[in-house]
Amino acid sequence: MSLSLGTLGIYAQNSGIQSSVKNVEKKVDSVLNLMTLEEKVGQMIQYNGSWDLTGPASETGNKQKEERLKKGLVGSMLNVLSVEATEKAQRMNMENSRIKIPLMFGYDVIHGYKTIFPVPLGETASWDMEAAEESARIAALESVAEGVNWTFSPMIDISRDARWGRIMEGSGEDPYLTSKVAVAKVRGYQGDDLSNPKTIAATAKHFAGYGLAEGGKDYNAVNIGKNELHNVVLPPFKAAADAGVATFMNSFNTIDGIPATGSKSLQREILKDRWDWQGFMVSDWGSIAEMIPHGFARDKIHAAEIAVKAGSDMDMEGGAYEIGLEKLVAEGKVDEALIDDAVKRILRVKFKMGLFEDPYKYIDANLMASVPYEEHKSTARDIAKKSIVLLKNENNLLPIKNSVKNIAVIGPLADDKDSPIGNWRAQGEANSAVSMLEGLKNAVSKETNITYSQGVTLGKGERSFLMPLDINKTDRSGISEAVENAKNAELVIMVLGEDAFQSGEGRSQANIGLAGLQKELLKEIHKVNKNIALVLINGRPMEITWSSENIPAIVEAWQLGTESGNAIADVLLGKYNPSGKLPVSFPRAVGQEPLYYNHKNTGRPYSAEHVTYSHYTDIKDGPLYPFGFGLSYTDFEYGKPKISKTELNAGDSLSLNISVTNSGKVKGREVVQLYLRDLIATSARPVKELKGFKLVELETGETKNVEFTIDEEMLKFYTASEKWQAENGEFELMVGGNSEDVQSIKFNFSK
Ligand code: BGC
């Protein structure tokens, strides 16, 4: 079926159209045939539509933007929030333009829209993929209730450096775990059918390498080779592409000297050709024009030329495509076929979303009334409690015993209703979280006496997405009251960590300890009362070595979102037995960063006798808390792992079985982790890599058998001959409750 401009209008209202792939392709071609070059370029432009600026705005004034909208020369908008605003923009476009191609409305819905879930790093600590999918499904529903139909999430950048502020926004240091989260998130946002008006389009970002910024400094150069790129950075993106993610976003960084936004190899050769992915690539905010300061493009027009050739399909608020593309085609510098390819990709997503059937299908003024926000809160609490990681619990200080009747709650984050909301909070209101203090008060018996003192403040003045936080380094006026309260208490709960705006974009830090006067406060309290449970609220792994040596109980509570305080209380009081495991290594000192468990061995891994081996001379080797680590209020005992055979052939599989017993006094949930090492290969392989995990719930005294299947697919990696394949030889399987505490068993593989 070919469409004329007239039929396009009728067609836009026809809601019964099948969206089979073939049909979609035909429709895309028909629409493309009707478009002028100017209209095609228009589809490749994204405008920011509100004042929620996330970077330097383009020079184009709002008036001019409106004019272009009316002419149908805008493909999508970001940060246009509310049913009224999206409807206004869509009408402006649909009712005035010649071509009548519906707009998409994008927004950073990163860990919830109104109901805020744990920051992604925290949520990943649950290792619960149903939870990851469910929070995305809820975020999608709340987004469409306000006209947003496209999220710039999931962020699936592998990050190994706690200094990088955006580590909170991803799933940590492991490609396998991040890949699983990527798939869960895509499913949660997009559902089975992108045209369902309760789903939104997802974005796999940032393509690629952004999380490995040198020195953990945001936007910095990434210097990795093909081995790291293919084995570490790309797997989550491949998983998202295979899961049908509608869009990708490229990244600000250079990678091996080439800006990712201008990388043909990444965008065209790998993603679009080799992986045969059919969606469209949106640039990061202004990243096309940022190729100028990178020293890669002379001016915006040159930047547009590089980006379009490389496969960037839409220019986010950068103003390069707008001024460059038509001119470049007219001058013969850019083949119009490249423009056609980009536009087809954009139209394809719009067709799949059902926007041509009904441009207003995601704009439903009645939807919000039916969104079960209260139910969402209880899901948020459930996910938050599962995300908490118990790092230390000497003498079973936790859970809080019923006999404890005097508790001193101390610290700048104890009654902070804002920090748990975290950065990238979408429409999560400021100061809307249940604070830790509120949560505890809600949960304890009437006979329990709770005193509260802030001790010190963390930040001074206003908090904002765009401004750095002014840390209090001088005001100690609250310390003495806190010390008095601590003296009189049976148990002290210290709530320390990071402000919401200490992590996130542009929030790289050279220090990752307790900022400001928090450590001083902790030490003062420790002098008068040693019974301390330290609750950390933070977005990145922190350097907490002193606490780990001196404080008997430590609870990693991340920035848990709307229900933070209730979830923390559930864990502190033992209503929920903590089951989270770290998705990222915690260092002993910031100088160890980047720090990650899945590193390659050196030629000098260890020597008890000399100094000339790979280590730091001033600290103990290894992380303070390793990847995959987390305690429980119960004990899990692992049996001996058994494998079904020691020789594995191509096309065949073997199974590993291990029993896990709950030998403690309460029921609990354990994350059983499987790691693999390829002992001799054509390129050095990591000392271990996560290859599987299983969540097991165990009653007291209960034993369950956990089985993993190992096949050729699991052994594959990007080899020295640049192929994704398994190599013959010996492999070591490691299984256990964290990346360090494992039992090994070996097998051989041959093709
Ligand atoms: C961030 C992206 C985000 C975009 C739009 C950029 O600064 O890097 O992750 O999606 O802004 O807000």
Side-chain angles (χ1 to χ4, degrees):
M1 170 179 63
S2 148
L3 300 173
S4 68
L5 274 178
T7 53
L8 188 56
I10 298 165
Y11 177 60
Q13 289 151 31
N14 183 348
S15 59
I17 295 172
Q18 298 275 313
S19 297
S20 76
V21 177
K22 227 164 133 198
N23 259 342
V24 167
E25 291 313 307
K26 272 197 193 155
K27 290 171 194 169
V28 164
D29 286 339
S30 304
V31 174
L32 188 77
N33 284 337
L34 299 172
M35 296 171 79
T36 63
L37 177 62
E38 188 188 26
E39 285 163 343
K40 290 179 192 171
V41 170
Q43 284 303 303
M44 297 169 71
I45 290 164
Q46 181 181 69
Y47 279 149
N48 183 41
S50 82
W51 309 114
D52 184 11
L53 295 172
T54 57
S58 83
E59 289 137 28
T60 320
N62 294 328
K63 271 261 170 313
Q64 242 173 300
K65 288 183 182 177
E66 261 190 42
E67 282 314 304
R68 285 188 63 96
L69 261 180
K70 288 182 183 155
K71 289 187 188 152
L73 301 179
V74 181
S76 73
M77 299 189 78
L78 81 156
N79 298 331
V80 179
L81 310 172
S82 84
V83 166
E84 298 71 38
T86 47
E87 184 174 353
K88 191 173 161 208
Q90 195 71 290
R91 284 203 186 284
M92 222 179 254
N93 166 50
M94 295 303 293
E95 288 171 8
N96 299 289
S97 68
R98 188 191 81 93
I99 192 73
K100 302 192 193 317
I101 296 176
L103 294 163
M104 285 167 69
F105 295 98
Y107 189 43
D108 292 289
V109 184
I110 307 297
H111 53 115
Y113 186 86
K114 263 202 165 91
T115 308
I116 300 299
F117 294 90
V119 293
L121 187 67
E123 190 183 73
T124 305
S126 71
W127 294 56
D128 186 328
M129 297 306 117
E130 279 171 28
E133 185 173 331
E134 183 61 5
S135 64
R137 192 192 62 73
I138 289 174
L141 181 61
E142 293 188 3
S143 300
V144 277
E146 299 208 6
V148 170
N149 54 25
W150 175 22
T151 175
F152 305 128
S153 166
M155 193 279 248
I156 49 179
D157 297 312
I158 297 300
S159 38
R160 299 166 154 178
D161 198 322
R163 290 171 295 180
W164 192 49
R166 296 192 83 167
I167 197 168
M168 52 77 63
E169 209 185 319
S171 291
E173 71 197 35
D174 184 73
Y176 179 84
L177 183 55
T178 303
S179 300
K180 294 286 168 204
V181 174
V183 172
K185 288 291 174 197
V186 171
R187 270 201 216 124
Y189 289 130
Q190 298 191 169
D192 299 331
D193 175 6
L194 207 49
S195 73
N196 177 339
K198 291 185 176 168
T199 65
I200 59 180
T203 308
K205 76 184 187 187
H206 306 85
F207 199 63
Y210 183 45
L212 299 184
E214 205 169 71
K217 196 165 71 167
D218 210 359
Y219 317 120
N220 211 0
V222 174
N223 293 310
I224 57 169
K226 283 189 179 165
N227 184 306
E228 291 294 272
L229 176 69
H230 287 272
N231 288 312
V232 177
V233 170
L234 295 184
F237 289 101
K238 174 76 164 62
D242 289 347
V245 71
T247 71
F248 262 56
M249 184 187 289
N250 56 31
S251 57
F252 290 126
N253 55 286
T254 58
I255 179 160
D256 202 16
I258 312 291
T261 304
S263 170
K264 194 172 168 185
S265 148
L266 280 172
Q267 300 174 105
R268 283 206 191 280
E269 290 164 19
I270 295 175
L271 175 64
K272 293 178 177 176
D273 295 344
R274 204 176 306 164
W275 297 354
D276 194 24
W277 177 74
Q278 301 298 322
F280 74 85
M281 171 75 69
V282 63
S283 81
D284 202 346
W285 183 290
S287 69
I288 296 178
E290 284 186 17
M291 289 196 285
I292 305 166
H294 275 307
F296 200 70
R298 282 184 302 277
D299 51 29
K300 282 191 181 179
I301 296 182
H302 187 207
E305 179 182 345
I306 295 170
V308 78
K309 286 183 173 165
S312 288
D313 302 311
M314 192 179 271
D315 182 0
M316 181 191 281
E317 191 64 15
Y321 280 3
E322 187 178 327
I323 61 166
L325 289 184
E326 277 179 78
K327 191 170 158 20
L328 287 160
V329 173
E331 287 171 1
K333 289 186 179 154
V334 165
D335 187 342
E336 194 168 341
L338 290 183
I339 310 281
D340 287 353
D341 176 59
V343 175
K344 278 169 81 167
R345 289 173 175 277
I346 294 163
L347 295 179
R348 190 177 291 137
V349 171
K350 291 183 174 182
F351 268 111
K352 286 188 177 166
M353 289 173 76
L355 283 167
F356 280 96
E357 293 168 15
D358 177 5
Y360 303 98
K361 75 183 296 179
Y362 297 91
I363 304 173
D364 175 358
N366 300 319
L367 180 60
M368 204 193 277
S370 69
V371 173
Y373 290 101
E374 279 309 309
E375 238 174 69
H376 292 177
K377 274 192 190 169
S378 88
T379 308
R381 178 173 180 164
D382 186 55
I383 295 177
K385 73 186 185 197
K386 290 174 177 159
S387 305
I388 294 172
V389 185
L390 181 64
L391 293 177
K392 187 177 173 192
N393 195 19
E394 219 168 69
N395 301 327
N396 295 326
L397 187 68
L398 295 175
I400 302 170
K401 317 260 168 318
N402 283 336
S403 57
V404 173
K405 293 290 179 247
N406 276 307
I407 303 175
V409 174
I410 299 172
L413 297 173
D415 200 23
D416 184 341
K417 293 170 68 60
D418 196 62
S419 288
I421 300 290
N423 207 332
W424 289 116
R425 52 180 59 187
Q427 291 301 290
E429 271 174 49
N431 296 308
S432 64
V434 176
S435 76
M436 187 270 156
L437 182 66
E438 288 171 333
L440 191 68
K441 283 187 171 166
N442 289 341
V444 294
S445 68
K446 283 200 192 83
E447 298 78 54
T448 312
N449 175 36
I450 296 178
T451 62
Y452 160 67
S453 32
Q454 191 182 31
V456 295
T457 58
L458 179 47
K460 294 183 287 180
E462 218 185 298
R463 288 156 155 164
S464 111
F465 178 73
L466 283 179
M467 298 305 290
L469 188 74
D470 187 6
I471 300 277
N472 165 33
K473 293 183 185 139
T474 51
D475 182 2
R476 296 177 164 79
S477 56
I479 296 186
S480 56
E481 182 198 302
V483 168
E484 280 316 303
N485 283 344
K487 273 185 195 160
N488 299 325
E490 290 162 82
L491 174 71
V492 180
I493 302 176
M494 299 279 313
V495 192
L496 308 176
E498 291 187 312
D499 184 271
F501 295 110
Q502 262 181 276
S503 57
E505 187 174 349
R507 261 73 185 193
S508 292
Q509 290 184 174
N511 297 298
I512 53 169
L514 293 165
L517 300 170
Q518 295 186 93
K519 199 158 161 189
E520 188 176 320
L521 173 70
L522 180 60
K523 287 185 172 174
E524 289 304 315
I525 302 297
H526 184 254
K527 281 181 196 158
V528 301
N529 193 336
K530 305 270 184 278
N531 263 348
I532 300 175
L534 169 61
V535 175
L536 291 170
I537 292 183
N538 51 310
R540 55 154 62 77
M542 299 186 73
E543 184 274 287
I544 49 163
T545 303
W546 186 89
S547 304
S548 150
E549 283 162 2
N550 294 281
I551 303 299
I554 305 177
V555 175
E556 174 51 77
W558 314 106
Q559 288 150 341
L560 291 176
T562 306
E563 286 290 305
S564 172
N566 288 332
I568 297 171
D570 286 338
V571 163
L572 293 181
L573 293 164
K575 291 183 183 161
Y576 183 74
N577 182 1
S579 56
K581 303 265 187 172
L582 296 178
V584 71
S585 308
F586 271 46
R588 294 176 194 280
V590 67
Q592 288 178 296
E593 298 289 336
L595 179 69
Y596 50 100
Y597 84 96
N598 44 355
H599 60 86
K600 298 190 179 83
N601 228 359
T602 67
R604 295 187 178 189
Y606 180 72
S607 158
E609 286 152 29
H610 310 291
V611 75
T612 52
Y613 70 97
S614 180
H615 71 307
Y616 297 102
T617 55
D618 56 344
I619 53 166
K620 217 175 141 199
D621 214 24
L624 182 66
Y625 296 110
F627 175 84
F629 178 83
L631 300 170
S632 163
Y633 293 148
T634 192
D635 297 309
F636 297 108
E637 272 175 27
Y638 283 78
K640 283 259 158 284
K642 291 189 194 84
I643 48 175
S644 55
K645 55 185 163 206
T646 52
E647 300 293 328
L648 177 69
N649 296 318
D652 205 357
S653 67
L654 70 81
S655 53
L656 178 145
N657 282 272
I658 188 159
S659 66
V660 188
T661 303
N662 179 350
S663 58
K665 295 200 177 70
V666 280
K667 78 167 186 191
R669 159 159 140 144
E670 170 72 330
V671 185
V672 182
Q673 301 158 39
L674 177 75
Y675 297 88
L676 178 90
R677 180 171 183 185
D678 186 343
L679 290 164
I680 311 288
T682 54
S683 65
R685 303 297 301 131
V687 294
K688 55 179 75 112
E689 290 179 291
L690 184 72
K691 290 291 174 179
F693 60 89
K694 298 252 159 86
L695 288 175
V696 270
E697 309 258 357
L698 293 167
E699 296 294 332
T700 1
E702 192 183 354
T703 299
K704 275 188 186 161
N705 177 55
V706 176
E707 180 166 301
F708 293 99
T709 304
I710 292 99
D711 59 14
E712 182 179 359
E713 205 47 45
M714 194 185 267
L715 315 183
K716 288 184 177 169
F717 70 104
Y718 193 77
T719 63
S721 50
E722 302 194 11
K723 291 201 178 79
W724 190 258
Q725 62 187 20
E727 293 180 343
N728 288 353
E730 199 180 15
F731 290 80
E732 183 179 0
L733 289 166
M734 288 155 273
V735 62
N738 68 65
S739 63
E740 286 191 351
D741 186 10
V742 289
Q743 302 182 69
S744 298
I745 194 159
K746 288 181 184 165
F747 69 93
N748 287 306
F749 170 73
S750 51
K751 282 191 250 189

